[in-house]
Amino acid sequence: MKSREMCDEQMLVEEPMSDSPISMNQSYDPASIPEYPFPMEQIPRMSINDPRLQHLIETSQPVVITDSQLVQPALKWNLRYLKSNLGDGLYYVYSSHNNRFKYFDKERAKQCSSFKQPTTRKEVAFSDFIEMLKKCNESTERIYLQQTLNDTVGPNIVQDYLQFNWHFVSRIQSKMQWGDLSSNLLLIGQEGNITPVHYDEQENFFAQVSGFKRCLLFSPDQFECLYPHPVSHPCDRQSQVNFSNPDYQRFPKFRDAHAVEAIVGPGDVLYIPMYWWHQIESLASAEPYDHGFTDDAASSCGSDTSDEDIPPVTVSVNFWYRSSPLPQQIEYPISAQQRVSVMRNIEKMVGAVMGSPDEVANLLRTIVDGRYNMTSREAT
Ligand SMILES: O=C(O)CCC(=O)C(=O)O
Ligand SMILES: [Fe+2]
């Protein structure tokens, strides 16, 4: 396990482009990293040319790629540039009364009267998002923009997007026989925001554009330690465990959880394999955040409040690729990913037939109790 000091050194980011607004020697504030009770190892960081890279991706191991230039044209995406160039589309902005932004399915939430929504969501113009950010300075509310990039973006963003390093990602996509790129999610959140631990059913190249994020990953074989909500719950795929305040009575196997960690900065791309659990935390920058409005505050933002009031944000863009958990030929023992997929399918099937989550538990217990949960000696 590498020491935090080594990590901090690694995080000194070279200026990526001469006309880039990213200043040299950018780094994060180590004091902004939350502490947790589980052990952590570092995710390897390597060059696009490193011969180990392909093997890691082939075997579904997380890795940080440091020089892919995947989103190089986006490294100039500060708030001012985005405001001028994102176009007049609407953006989903989530609000939370604490720093956690736990995902939930809105449709399922409507059907579940006892469910307390952890965040609220608004669809707003990008300029309104900036006004909302300013208001966050006056309250404890925090916000997080999370919107799939779509065809409402302006021509400069289209140009930037076309100049992403598609050669790099498409080569991996075809080598790994992944399906289509399903979407690119743009994430702009305040420093300190946390996306709590969950897994996705897609392969992910997670590209950091501005600011720093701490990414904690757990392999799919830690399903038992992380206690996901039932598949029918609005928070399907999300862990029930809150790392900042773990309830060991309810979740005793969380004591066995162990993470791998990466701190990503501008230009880094983290490969998050499908079904790998991840918690993503926006860290505080060590330097003052340059949103780009400082020179022409009055004209740029067009509002009563000063642009100086905009709190610092982090910006990321992910690349989600469809993939199948089942290979053409199943090999035994099945992988941890396949095991999760099988469990999900069984849970969904029983839930669909029985109609209620309580019935799922009863039915599965009836199948197992006294029959499969015995030692092999008792069973004979
Ligand atoms: O950056 C974040 O806050 C969450 C990103 C995430 O969960 C993802 O890309 O799958
Ligand atoms: Fe995710």
Side-chain angles (χ1 to χ4, degrees):
M1 189 156 86
K2 281 185 198 154
S3 71
R4 183 73 68 202
E5 286 70 31
M6 268 183 74
C7 247
D8 292 347
E9 262 169 40
Q10 270 182 352
M11 280 296 123
L12 297 175
V13 175
E14 299 282 305
E15 188 168 67
M17 251 187 351
S18 54
D19 62 345
S20 162
I22 309 286
S23 62
M24 275 175 72
N25 296 340
Q26 272 206 343
S27 64
Y28 58 88
D29 174 5
S32 68
I33 301 177
E35 283 183 19
Y36 298 126
F38 44 78
M40 276 172 224
E41 287 189 30
Q42 294 301 304
I43 295 174
R45 294 173 59 84
M46 63 184 63
S47 159
I48 191 171
N49 299 316
D50 194 305
R52 296 169 298 169
L53 182 61
Q54 184 173 333
H55 178 71
L56 287 173
I57 299 178
E58 251 165 24
T59 53
S60 299
Q61 299 298 312
V63 54
V64 178
I65 306 143
T66 52
D67 56 356
S68 67
Q69 318 256 318
L70 176 57
V71 294
Q72 184 72 20
L75 298 188
K76 59 178 175 294
W77 287 7
N78 59 26
L79 288 177
R80 182 194 180 186
Y81 182 89
L82 290 169
K83 180 171 181 269
S84 309
N85 294 294
L86 266 179
D88 46 18
L90 295 179
Y91 290 81
Y92 281 135
V93 176
Y94 296 82
S95 303
S96 171
H97 287 296
N98 51 42
N99 62 346
R100 291 164 54 80
F101 291 76
K102 188 170 179 176
Y103 174 81
F104 66 95
D105 182 287
K106 263 198 154 293
E107 289 311 307
R108 284 200 198 135
K110 276 187 209 153
Q111 282 145 34
C112 183
S113 56
S114 59
F115 179 68
K116 215 169 147 270
Q117 305 199 353
T119 59
T120 53
R121 188 180 79 180
K122 271 192 188 162
E123 218 178 350
V124 302
F126 196 78
S127 50
D128 292 333
F129 166 62
I130 294 180
E131 294 308 308
M132 288 169 78
L133 272 175
K134 291 179 190 172
K135 293 209 179 91
C136 286
N137 268 338
E138 296 149 24
S139 77
T140 53
E141 188 168 73
R142 289 171 160 273
I143 59 172
Y144 205 159
L145 179 148
Q146 300 188 10
Q147 175 66 52
T148 300
L149 288 173
N150 58 35
D151 56 11
T152 63
V153 300
N156 286 337
I157 300 280
V158 171
Q159 270 313 307
D160 294 340
Y161 187 80
L162 291 175
Q163 283 165 25
F164 282 179
N165 188 353
W166 293 107
H167 176 71
F168 160 67
V169 275
S170 304
R171 201 174 37 121
I172 295 182
Q173 174 193 20
S174 111
K175 271 214 172 107
M176 303 303 154
Q177 301 189 324
W178 292 347
D180 294 340
L181 174 76
S182 68
S183 55
N184 293 102
L185 190 69
L186 171 66
L187 300 120
I188 308 180
Q190 288 175 260
E191 292 181 356
N193 286 2
I194 290 180
T195 297
V197 62
H198 66 282
Y199 64 87
D200 299 309
E201 294 182 275
Q202 302 200 60
E203 304 285 354
N204 188 351
F205 278 122
F206 182 79
Q208 189 59 10
V209 169
S210 158
F212 292 83
K213 279 182 169 172
R214 195 258 287 261
C215 309
L216 293 168
L217 273 61
F218 301 79
S219 82
D221 63 15
Q222 295 183 62
F223 188 93
E224 288 86 342
C225 307
L226 288 164
Y227 299 87
H229 288 276
V231 290
S232 56
H233 189 275
C235 292
D236 175 28
R237 299 184 289 99
Q238 319 288 308
S239 170
Q240 299 176 80
V241 183
N242 178 350
F243 290 173
S244 308
N245 185 19
D247 183 341
Y248 290 110
Q249 295 271 307
R250 286 178 65 200
F251 311 122
K253 288 188 183 150
F254 179 62
R255 288 189 198 282
D256 300 330
H258 49 99
V260 286
E261 175 194 44
I263 295 175
V264 290
D268 287 339
V269 174
L270 169 64
Y271 168 51
I272 307 178
M274 182 163 70
Y275 291 119
W276 274 68
W277 296 91
H278 47 286
Q279 168 149 319
I280 313 267
E281 306 176 339
S282 285
L283 302 179
S285 236
E287 290 79 34
Y289 174 67
D290 181 10
H291 41 60
F293 291 121
T294 1
D295 294 341
D296 53 355
S299 61
S300 61
C301 226
S303 79
D304 303 343
T305 41
S306 161
D307 297 321
E308 304 284 306
D309 296 339
I310 304 174
V313 295
T314 65
V315 181
S316 321
V317 176
N318 79 10
F319 293 67
W320 264 322
Y321 286 90
R322 294 182 216 285
S323 181
S324 160
L326 299 176
Q328 272 148 12
Q329 186 123 34
I330 295 189
E331 283 170 25
Y332 293 94
I334 64 166
S335 69
Q337 274 105 325
Q338 290 162 4
R339 186 165 163 265
V340 174
S341 168
V342 167
M343 287 192 285
R344 286 186 65 82
N345 285 338
I346 292 175
E347 233 185 292
K348 280 185 194 167
M349 199 167 68
V350 177
V353 174
M354 304 305 287
S356 133
D358 298 341
E359 293 302 316
V360 174
N362 286 339
L363 186 127
L364 293 178
R365 261 196 296 268
T366 309
I367 293 177
V368 171
D369 279 356
R371 301 180 60 225
Y372 284 91
N373 53 356
M374 311 191 300
T375 63
S376 49
R377 194 161 51 83
E378 282 168 334
T380 50

